[in-house]
Amino acid sequence: RSRAMPISIASGEEAGGADRSILLAWLKQQAESGKRIAGVVTVEVEGRKWMRILSSSEQKLLQLNELSEEEKAKMAEHKKHRATETKTTDSVFQSAEVEKTAAEFGPNVVTVGPFVFDDKVLECGRAELMAGVASGVDILVADEVGPLEVKRGQGLEPAFRQCLSGREKLQLVVIVRPNLWDFFGEHYDCKSD
């Protein structure tokens, strides 16, 4: 039986913040050295989250809604305390408000906190992860595995869990918020060495 490759886990801040500049620079270096890379990186452009499909460099609009100034202020306050608490953005925002906003975008959406995400874009992300494993890339990136995946089984799930079992020959790089590291480890049965 072959030994699974280790998982590299970093926070969004360690990856370069909302624009993921550090992660993207590292991935560029790896590609230039001949490594084959696939996966997804979530970047923020003009206040909205976009999903970059690494195998094609295509960017897809993930976040359908614009946040109000009030929602941005709530998020900023929540982020200040996020490192030490396990409360998710879902519990900070009124679900009725978010559901009303989500209804405006139709049935193919997923909500988390104040965000309304396009499930078709998430589906592309899931397909990218599975294709990366199937094609035998050297590095597979999952950005971000958060409450949507570990608490609700949505977002990049179930593809991410399948990637964990198919990583004998690839390096898996995962972006996880620090306040979810312990929960992530328990949920996916990952042990730190």
Side-chain angles (χ1 to χ4, degrees):
R1 182 174 169 214
S2 60
R3 187 175 188 280
M5 295 292 283
I7 301 172
S8 301
I9 300 175
S11 71
E13 289 74 25
E14 291 170 328
D19 68 359
R20 298 299 197 253
S21 56
I22 295 169
L23 174 62
L24 292 171
W26 179 78
L27 290 170
K28 181 179 179 189
Q29 288 176 332
Q30 297 304 306
E32 289 171 352
S33 74
K35 301 277 185 181
R36 294 169 302 136
I37 299 169
V40 295
V41 174
T42 305
V43 296
E44 191 172 305
V45 178
E46 296 180 4
R48 289 206 192 180
K49 297 179 185 295
W50 290 72
M51 181 177 283
R52 183 174 297 174
I53 307 296
L54 294 175
S55 65
S56 66
S57 298
E58 183 180 5
Q59 259 185 201
K60 297 177 177 278
L61 180 63
L62 176 61
Q63 179 187 337
L64 298 174
N65 64 320
E66 281 191 53
L67 298 185
S68 68
E69 291 305 314
E70 180 182 339
E71 288 169 320
K72 289 177 187 177
K74 272 187 182 179
M75 282 299 296
E77 186 62 27
H78 177 62
K79 283 181 181 182
K80 282 185 200 175
H81 305 289
R82 188 164 68 187
T84 58
E85 63 181 34
T86 57
K87 188 165 57 169
T88 67
T89 52
D90 281 337
S91 61
V92 173
F93 291 87
Q94 297 285 327
S95 61
E97 294 172 26
V98 175
E99 286 181 26
K100 180 182 173 200
T101 303
E104 297 171 11
F105 292 103
N108 295 316
V109 299
V110 176
T111 62
V112 61
F115 302 106
V116 178
F117 293 142
D118 187 336
D119 195 43
K120 291 183 181 197
V121 173
L122 290 166
E123 187 177 309
C124 291
R126 293 187 293 268
E128 170 75 355
L129 292 176
M130 297 307 299
V133 171
S135 68
V137 297
D138 300 304
I139 300 171
L140 186 67
V141 180
D143 173 21
E144 156 181 356
V145 176
L148 204 50
E149 290 77 16
V150 298
K151 295 189 177 190
R152 297 193 351 215
Q154 295 178 305
L156 297 175
E157 282 295 359
F160 178 73
R161 185 174 291 280
Q162 292 171 349
C163 292
L164 289 172
S165 63
R167 66 181 209 281
E168 286 81 20
K169 297 180 181 170
L170 61 81
Q171 178 180 1
L172 184 58
V173 177
V174 186
I175 305 302
V176 180
R177 295 176 195 163
N179 67 318
L180 292 177
W181 286 352
D182 290 340
F183 192 75
F184 174 90
E186 290 171 22
H187 184 73
Y188 292 112
D189 194 27
C190 300
K191 312 261 186 295
S192 61
D193 294 333

